[in-house]
Amino acid sequence: MKPSSHIVIMAAGGAGCVVMEKLAHAHPGSSDGRTIAINTESNRFWDERFSKGLHPVHSYYMPTPPYGRADVLHDIKHTHTVQQYLKSNPAWLAHLASAKAIILVAGLGGFTGGTCLPVIGQMACHRHIPVVAVVSTPPVWVGARTLRRARRAKSQLQRTVNALTVISCDQIVNAHEEYTQDDLFEHVNRLMQEAVEKWVKGFWRLKYF
């Protein structure tokens, strides 16, 4: 990937952070510090994984949602928490304000990715910043509540981002019935990494900057 302080890659949640880590190893030091990881307080272990000198990543940690209630009202309440956190964080807002293009990365089944990406997409849209999202949708066996959260997040993103790349776990499972769960997630993460790399190259190929 070509270095640029104009392209900002924002990863949210566990799946997004895994893809960010893969990018860190594949392109050490190439992003000029314009990579941002967002997770909850319960997942601070990413600081240690990002501090190996391979890739400068700015990490932000929001309040951890009280797990155990996965209903729609709880998701909406946590979305408001995300909005308040992001809109009141000067350092994060500075990253957003200086971006000329944003690439969002996350799995949509979890609280963090499913709530953060639509909020960030909306904030970028209001600032007229081109934004694309690379996301994965969970397999059907994760349960109805998680699937509803993912569908809701996908629908929200479709209304706010300029382009959406969706990696479907179900399609991969159907094509590779022999896959274990680890095989599936490794395949999905690799496809998400490749999609992010293609978007970065695409912005440069179009001479966007």
Side-chain angles (χ1 to χ4, degrees):
M1 291 190 300
K2 208 168 184 177
S4 171
S5 60
H6 301 306
I7 301 175
V8 178
I9 303 171
M10 295 186 180
C17 287
V18 169
V19 175
M20 183 75 80
E21 187 179 27
K22 287 182 173 294
L23 289 166
H25 285 277
H27 308 278
S30 67
S31 74
D32 198 25
R34 306 299 290 168
T35 45
I36 299 173
I38 302 172
N39 220 322
T40 59
E41 289 287 350
S42 61
N43 283 309
R44 278 194 165 272
F45 69 91
W46 287 104
D47 271 344
E48 181 180 347
R49 297 179 71 164
F50 286 142
S51 63
K52 299 176 182 177
L54 290 171
H55 206 51
V57 177
H58 301 268
S59 298
Y60 297 92
Y61 292 93
M62 302 174 303
T64 300
Y67 293 100
R69 291 182 56 202
D71 53 44
V72 173
L73 289 178
H74 178 62
D75 283 4
I76 292 174
K77 183 177 180 180
H78 187 54
T79 299
H80 290 324
T81 302
V82 171
Q83 290 173 330
Q84 292 171 0
Y85 174 85
L86 295 179
K87 290 179 180 178
S88 63
N89 190 307
W92 188 88
L93 289 173
H95 283 299
L96 186 66
S98 63
K100 291 190 177 179
I102 295 175
I103 302 173
L104 304 177
V105 191
L108 296 185
F111 272 112
T112 310
T115 54
C116 273
L117 255 63
V119 172
I120 297 172
Q122 187 177 51
M123 294 174 72
C125 181
H126 288 166
R127 288 165 173 77
H128 306 290
I129 303 170
V131 56
V132 301
V134 176
V135 301
S136 62
T137 55
V140 67
W141 43 257
V142 297
R145 289 174 175 175
T146 300
L147 291 173
R148 281 197 299 270
R149 181 185 299 118
R151 284 195 293 267
R152 188 164 59 247
K154 180 182 174 182
S155 176
Q156 291 169 337
L157 282 170
Q158 288 172 327
R159 295 194 296 268
T160 56
V161 302
N162 298 100
L164 183 63
T165 299
V166 180
I167 311 298
S168 169
C169 285
D170 274 338
Q171 289 184 3
I172 295 173
V173 168
N174 291 337
H176 300 276
E177 295 182 358
E178 76 282 3
Y179 269 11
T180 64
Q181 180 173 309
D182 288 343
D183 292 334
L184 170 63
F185 291 152
E186 179 63 28
H187 191 153
V188 170
N189 293 334
R190 185 174 68 253
L191 291 178
M192 292 175 73
Q193 175 191 343
E194 292 171 356
V196 171
E197 292 168 339
K198 287 178 181 178
W199 274 115
V200 172
K201 292 176 182 177
F203 280 124
W204 280 101
R205 191 177 299 116
L206 293 171
K207 298 182 179 179
Y208 180 79
F209 304 111

